[in-house]
């Protein structure tokens, strides 16, 4: 039995009430986010069928990570993370309310959707940084895998099972209704997160400037032998994957020929995959070890993308989207737990911010490349090329993990 298997076999401490309050607040926000995730591209597809304009919506949603990920992460280390999450949810409520007014007034257009996607993405920068940084303070290091798995379950249910199918159905009834429901969900989440007891501001020994905080976070990440390489390779994977995922709405409508109301079926398949990934990642990590499972998880989604480039059948495509969600979920749980275990608590927000600049900063470029490729060839071709490019990166991930195997194992033993 490997050293990691023995450690993994120890039972982690039970998750307490504070975690479950974070869980339900996050579940509500993710359900609202899931409604918007399907409603915005459906609205865009009703305005234009141009692949570049459709993929550009994804680009604008993730562009804030490239522009504001560093200051956003540093800001989270200076604020009470719980209050930051609540404030951002209030801001998202206001943004969706304004979007509803534009739609009701008949002023909805692709430019308005781009502005909304960018503004909501800016809120997501602060919210996600705070939500991930608060978790080690709530549950402790030994429970990170368990807590991240539960949070992934609720994110999957809200963002795939509940939000998108409900959003698609409500959009077919009246375009403004899903955005109204999303606004209500974010408002409720803002109240729920305030019920988490405690103080969640990172401890500081001396005052510093925001610029100094950003510089310290970037420097720490760059000097870390594992996380530096993992950040770069994760960014490449995310960028290449977005070549395909930014075109999912066109793949469903034009390649699989499903109606807008049935588009949510693909999200149900991905939701099921996310639940399976969350359920098996812990046992599989105990059985095969964390280093090996990181590589396995990184391999699954690229293979599924290649297969999606070869099919036009809804049921086959549903199976491959299911597989993508399994792999992405396992990768997210394992890689996030690894970062949370390795990064000091007082640096967590700004280092995660720096990591996500690289991770999600490449998504806008990947989305635009995917849109341009689909415009010149086809949407399935973009999926196929995306998968092949990801597989090249997986080889580099395997080499990185193998080189630092013991350091990864040791990070979870203290």
């Amino acid at each position: 039995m490997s050293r990691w298997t023995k450690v993994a076999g120890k039972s982690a401490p039970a998750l307490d009430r504070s975690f479950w309050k974070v869980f339900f607040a996050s579940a509500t926000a993710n359900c609202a986010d899931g409604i918007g995730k399907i409603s915005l591209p459906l609205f865009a597809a009703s305005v234009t069928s141009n692949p570049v304009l459709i993929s550009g919506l994804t680009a604008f949603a993730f562009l804030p990570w490239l522009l504001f990920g560093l200051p956003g992460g540093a800001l989270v280390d200076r604020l009470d993370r719980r209050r930051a999450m609540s404030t951002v949810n209030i801001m998202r409520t206001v943004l969706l309310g304004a979007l509803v007014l534009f739609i009701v007034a008949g002023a909805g257009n692709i430019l308005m959707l781009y502005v909304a996607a960018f503004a909501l993405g800016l809120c997501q920068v602060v919210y996600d940084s705070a939500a991930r940084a608060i978790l080690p303070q709530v549950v402790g290091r030994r429970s990170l895998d368990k807590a991240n798995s539960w949070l992934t379950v609720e994110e999957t249910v809200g963002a795939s099972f509940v939000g998108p199918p409900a959003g698609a159905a409500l959009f077919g009834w009246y375009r403004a209704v899903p955005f109204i429901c999303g606004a209500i969900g974010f408002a409720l989440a803002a109240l729920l997160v305030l019920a988490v007891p405690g103080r969640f501001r990172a401890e500081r020994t001396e005052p510093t400037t925001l610029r100094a905080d950003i510089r310290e976070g970037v420097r720490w990440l760059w000097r870390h032998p594992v996380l530096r390489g993992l950040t770069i390779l994760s960014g490449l994977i995310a960028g290449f994957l977005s070549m395909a995922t930014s075109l999912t709405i066109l793949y469903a409508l034009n390649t699989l020929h499903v109606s807008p109301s049935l588009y949510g079926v693909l999200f149900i398949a991905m939701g099921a995959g996310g639940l399976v990934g969350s359920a098996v990642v812990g046992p599989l990590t105990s059985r095969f070890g964390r280093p090996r499972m990181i590589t396995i998880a990184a391999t699954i989604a690229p293979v599924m993308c290649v297969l999606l480039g070869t099919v036009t059948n809804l049921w086959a495509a549903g199976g491959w989207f299911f597989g993508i969600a399994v792999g992405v979920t396992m990768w997210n749980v394992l890689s996030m737990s690894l970062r949370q275990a390795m990064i000091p608590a007082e640096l967590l927000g700004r280092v995660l911010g720096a990591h996500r600049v690289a991770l999600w900063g490449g998504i806008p470029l990947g989305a635009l490349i995917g849109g341009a490729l689909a415009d010149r060839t086809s949407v399935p071709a973009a999926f196929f090329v995306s998968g092949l490019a990801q597989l090249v990166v997986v080889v580099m991930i395997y080499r990185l993990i193998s080189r630092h195997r013991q350091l990864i194992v040791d990070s979870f033993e203290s």
Side-chain angles (χ1 to χ4, degrees), residues 159-210:
S160 296
F161 274 117
V162 178
L170 293 171
F171 184 86
W173 179 33
Y174 182 60
R175 291 180 177 181
V177 175
F179 300 108
I180 295 173
C181 293
I184 294 172
F186 284 130
L188 181 58
L191 296 175
L192 288 174
V193 76
L194 291 178
V196 180
R199 181 178 180 272
F200 297 98
R201 186 191 296 266
E203 297 295 335
R204 289 176 172 269
T205 57
E206 57 185 27
T208 59
T209 65
L210 188 65

Side-chain angles (χ1 to χ4, degrees), residues 50-298:
N50 187 300
V52 177
L53 290 177
I54 296 295
S55 62
L57 193 64
T58 297
F60 265 69
F62 284 93
L63 186 59
W65 280 103
L66 184 61
L67 300 178
F68 303 108
L70 288 174
L75 187 65
V76 162
D77 283 342
R78 304 172 74 88
L79 302 173
D80 185 295
R81 291 157 177 170
R82 178 193 58 175
R83 293 188 179 277
M85 293 166 65
S86 179
T87 301
V88 167
N89 279 332
I90 293 173
M91 294 174 64
R92 292 198 280 196
T93 300
V94 173
L95 285 169
L96 287 182
L99 184 59
V100 168
L101 294 178
F102 276 103
I103 295 173
V104 171
N109 53 51
I110 192 68
L111 177 60
M112 178 202 68
L113 294 178
Y114 272 44
V115 172
F118 183 86
L120 290 170
L122 185 57
C123 291
Q124 196 75 24
V125 169
V126 178
Y127 183 85
D128 278 6
S129 296
R132 294 306 183 184
I134 200 176
L135 192 60
Q137 295 175 290
V138 174
V139 303
R141 183 176 296 182
R142 287 185 57 202
S143 295
L144 283 174
D145 275 346
K146 182 188 292 187
N148 278 315
S149 293
W150 274 108
L151 289 177
T152 302
V153 167
E154 58 82 6
E155 182 177 353
T156 299
V157 171
S160 296
F161 274 117
V162 178
L170 293 171
F171 184 86
W173 179 33
Y174 182 60
R175 291 180 177 181
V177 175
F179 300 108
I180 295 173
C181 293
I184 294 172
F186 284 130
L188 181 58
L191 296 175
L192 288 174
V193 76
L194 291 178
V196 180
R199 181 178 180 272
F200 297 98
R201 186 191 296 266
E203 297 295 335
R204 289 176 172 269
T205 57
E206 57 185 27
T208 59
T209 65
L210 188 65
R211 178 177 296 182
D213 285 351
I214 293 172
R215 187 166 53 248
E216 184 180 10
V218 172
R219 186 186 300 119
W220 190 96
L221 178 60
W222 183 253
R223 291 177 176 176
H224 197 282
V226 178
L227 297 186
R228 179 185 63 229
L230 194 64
T231 293
I232 295 171
L233 297 177
S234 297
L236 290 173
I237 283 281
F240 288 136
L241 181 60
S242 72
M243 290 173 58
T245 54
S246 64
L247 298 167
T248 302
I249 180 66
L250 292 183
Y251 185 87
L253 299 180
N254 300 338
T255 301
L256 303 180
H257 304 292
V258 302
S259 65
S261 60
L262 287 178
Y263 177 44
V265 171
L266 292 182
F267 281 86
I268 293 176
M270 288 188 282
L275 292 178
V276 170
S278 298
V280 303
V281 64
L284 289 178
T285 300
S286 297
R287 174 67 179 83
F288 296 107
R290 182 175 301 274
R292 185 178 300 172
M293 281 309 303
I294 290 176
T295 304
I296 292 173

Side-chain angles (χ1 to χ4, degrees), residues 319-345:
W320 305 146
F321 275 113
F322 171 90
I324 286 179
V326 171
V328 169
T329 300
M330 292 172 62
W331 167 265
N332 286 344
V333 170
L334 292 170
S335 61
M336 178 54 70
S337 295
L338 182 61
R339 293 191 295 273
Q340 289 169 332
M342 287 183 164
I343 302 170

